Every structure is written in structure tokens, then in C-alpha cells.
């Protein structure tokens, strides 16, 4: 295994991992994350803006986060994911558009599943766009969501000389569920319950850490173990899908 895994003595609910080499899939795309940040931020802003407008409409036009609890939660998640305040404020003033959120699963060789979040006027419209790519690039659109993904908050920070024990203690204090340390990349990744995501990020930043990435993501309950060739095929397809206007995010099960 790429991990040396142990559970801390103080809190069995926090899982601590130390990565022994940089080849693990979780860290192999750090540079890609940085390069794709502009596109990711744009799509996040669009996705959260839509959720805000729908939430306001569903609560009788209440655009006040102090009296609309669901809206307050969405706004906090968006702020933690670094969505610009201007985008959030604009969404509060605008009426909902005719689009809805749809989720799909794409199957690939090697037991690979891609969990695709879309924003489109109709489900069939999203299916047509996705199938247009899949027919050319491979992969099959599943008729239902088969792979179990858990919605989590993911926070990646730069570390210097902090050791595993220090990060372990901070994870407990922050309320994180898991922390992974990669000593070669000098990165640490904190996984949180989605409801704790804003508070954990604020706590970590309050300790002086610089966030490389912070977002809500879907993690596989049972990760697949495809070959390097199968991973490369999936990564190429994932990148193409992420470039589609209707696709907001693509999550993988490996």
C-alpha cells in the first residue's frame, strides 16, 4: 500500500494517513488542479449561483441568510470554496433560470466510474451532450447511479515542517474526519463532513496554513484499482467532460 495508516489514540473517528510516495492518485494531479483552477472557479460560481436562486425561490423569495437556514448553509459552502462574493450577491438578486441539476455515472474499463454533475434545462439535454462525447471517446452512460459516492468537504493545504502528529492534533481540534500527509509534495489533505466544511477550513486557515484547494467533492466508498493505461483513458475523458458547458464537476472512483 502507498499508505502507512494508523488511527490516533485520542480520537478513533479521525483517520490519519502518511503518503510514502507521490505516485498516489490523490496527489498525482496537484499541478492539474492549479492549472484548471480558473475553469473550476467559474463552474463553481455558476453551480452555487443556481443553487442560491432555487433556494430563494423555494423559500418564498426569502433572500436573507439569517432567516433562510438552507440559504445560509449554501452561502457558507460557497464562501469556503472561494466563490467570489460578487457572484453570490448577484445570485441573490436574480430570478432562477430554467436549468436544473442532474447527476450521471459514466462507466469505463477497469471498474472505473465517473460521477458527473451537470446543470442543464432538461435531463435529456444533458444526456445528449454527454453521449455525444462518449460515442467518440468511449465510456457508457449508466441508466442509474450504481457506484456509492459520499459527499465530503476536501481541503488541501501547503505544509512546511509540520509532522503527522501535529496535523493529527489539528484535525481533531478542527473537527476533520481524515487527514493525509504527502511529505514529498509538502501537502496535506483534510476530509470533512460536508456540514463541517466551512468551519474546518476557517480553523485551518486560522492556524496560518495556505489553502491550495477547498471544495465539496464526491469520494468513492469502495475505490477501484484500474491499470495505468485505464487510468490514463479515464483522465483524458474526465478532462474533456469538464470542458463541457453543461458539466459542473466530474468525480472519479479511483
Amino acid at each position: 500500500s502507498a499508505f502507512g495508516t494508523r488511527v490516533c489514540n485520542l480520537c478513533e473517528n479521525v483517520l490519519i494517513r502518511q503518503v510514502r510516495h507521490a505516485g498516489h492518485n490523490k496527489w498525482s494531479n496537484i499541478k492539474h488542479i492549479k492549472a484548471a483552477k480558473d475553469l473550476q472557479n467559474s463552474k463553481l460560481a455558476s453551480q452555487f449561483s443556481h443553487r442560491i436562486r432555487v433556494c430563494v425561490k423555494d423559500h418564498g423569495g426569502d433572500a436573507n441568510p439569517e432567516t433562510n437556514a438552507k440559504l445560509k448553509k449554501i452561502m457558507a459552502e460557497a464562501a469556503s470554496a472561494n466563490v467570489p462574493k460578487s457572484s453570490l450577491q448577484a445570485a441573490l438578486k436574480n430570478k432562477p433560470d430554467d436549468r436544473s441539476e442532474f447527476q450521471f455515472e459514466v462507466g469505463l474499463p477497469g471498474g472505473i466510474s465517473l460521477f458527473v454533475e451537470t446543470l442543464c434545462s432538461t435531463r435529456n439535454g444533458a444526456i445528449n451532450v454527454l453521449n455525444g462525447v462518449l460515442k467518440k471517446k468511449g465510456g457508457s452512460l449508466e441508466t442509474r447511479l450504481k457506484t456509492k459516492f459520499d459527499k465530503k468537504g476536501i481541503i488541501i493545504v501547503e505544509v512546511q515542517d509540520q509532522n503527522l502528529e501535529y496535523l493529527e492534533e489539528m484535525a481533531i481540534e478542527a473537527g476533520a474526519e481524515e487527514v493525509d500527509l504527502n511529505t514529498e509534495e509538502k501537502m496535506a489533505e483534510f476530509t470533512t463532513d460536508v456540514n463541517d466544511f466551512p468551519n474546518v477550513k476557517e480553523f485551518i486557515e486560522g492556524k496560518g496554513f495556505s489553502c491550495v484547494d477547498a471544495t465539496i467533492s464526491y469520494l468513492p466508498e469502495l475505490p477501484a484499482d484500474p491499470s495505468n493505461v485505464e487510468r490514463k483513458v479515464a483522465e483524458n475523458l474526465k478532462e474533456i467532460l469538464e470542458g463541457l458547458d453543461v458539466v459542473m464537476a466530474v468525480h472519479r472512483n479511483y
Side-chain angles (χ1 to χ4, degrees):
S1 172
F3 291 116
T5 304
R6 63 191 178 86
V7 179
C8 79
N9 295 326
L10 297 177
C11 178
E12 293 186 353
N13 292 326
V14 179
L15 182 62
I16 313 297
R17 293 189 176 106
Q18 181 155 8
V19 182
R20 292 177 183 154
H21 60 77
H24 187 264
N25 69 286
K26 190 169 287 186
W27 307 99
S28 61
N29 64 344
I30 287 292
K31 293 180 180 178
H32 175 73
I33 287 175
K34 292 178 179 178
K37 200 63 183 168
D38 288 344
L39 177 61
Q40 181 188 12
N41 285 343
S42 174
K43 290 190 177 253
L44 271 177
S46 178
Q47 192 174 29
F48 273 109
S49 294
H50 173 78
R51 290 174 181 171
I52 287 169
R53 290 193 292 267
V54 170
C55 180
V56 170
K57 179 185 177 183
D58 289 347
H59 288 76
D62 184 1
N64 184 355
E66 297 306 316
T67 55
N68 185 336
K70 185 176 180 181
L71 176 61
K72 185 175 183 178
K73 178 184 174 183
I74 294 173
M75 296 281 283
E77 287 182 4
S80 295
N82 298 320
V83 175
K85 288 184 179 180
S86 58
S87 297
L88 303 181
Q89 293 301 320
L92 290 173
K93 300 175 183 177
N94 295 331
K95 295 181 180 179
D97 55 34
D98 64 347
R99 298 178 297 172
S100 298
E101 292 191 69
F102 303 102
Q103 299 172 337
F104 301 95
E105 182 176 333
V106 174
L108 289 162
I112 292 176
S113 292
L114 299 180
F115 183 81
V116 185
E117 296 182 82
T118 69
L119 189 59
C120 194
S121 55
T122 66
R123 184 177 183 84
N124 284 339
I127 289 174
N128 289 338
V129 173
L130 294 177
N131 276 333
V133 171
L134 298 180
K135 286 177 181 178
K136 297 178 182 178
K137 301 297 180 181
S140 60
L141 197 62
E142 305 291 354
T143 55
R144 59 184 177 85
L145 299 178
K146 299 191 300 182
T147 304
K148 175 65 175 175
F149 285 85
D150 295 321
K151 192 176 182 181
K152 297 292 182 181
I154 303 295
I155 304 162
I156 298 177
V157 303
E158 295 177 346
V159 296
Q160 300 301 323
D161 299 322
Q162 294 88 356
N163 59 23
L164 196 60
E165 285 71 25
Y166 176 82
L167 294 172
E168 172 185 300
E169 293 173 4
M170 191 171 71
I172 296 168
E173 196 174 351
E177 295 180 346
E178 183 178 322
V179 59
D180 291 351
L181 172 65
N182 184 302
T183 52
E184 291 184 21
E185 294 284 344
K186 291 191 174 182
M187 298 281 181
E189 179 186 87
F190 294 84
T191 303
T192 79
D193 181 275
V194 67
N195 293 318
D196 298 331
F197 173 59
N199 291 337
V200 173
K201 180 173 182 281
E202 183 179 357
F203 181 92
I204 292 172
E205 289 180 325
K207 292 290 187 179
F209 286 88
S210 175
C211 283
V212 174
D213 192 39
T215 190
I216 302 293
S217 188
Y218 287 84
L219 304 181
E221 193 171 89
L222 294 173
D225 187 25
S227 68
N228 289 335
V229 172
E230 290 165 337
R231 287 172 187 264
K232 186 173 181 180
V233 170
E235 287 301 314
N236 288 338
L237 178 58
K238 179 175 180 288
E239 188 171 344
I240 292 170
L241 292 175
E242 287 172 334
L244 298 174
D245 288 341
V246 301
V247 173
M248 297 295 104
V250 181
H251 312 276
R252 58 192 184 179
N253 72 331
Y254 59 92

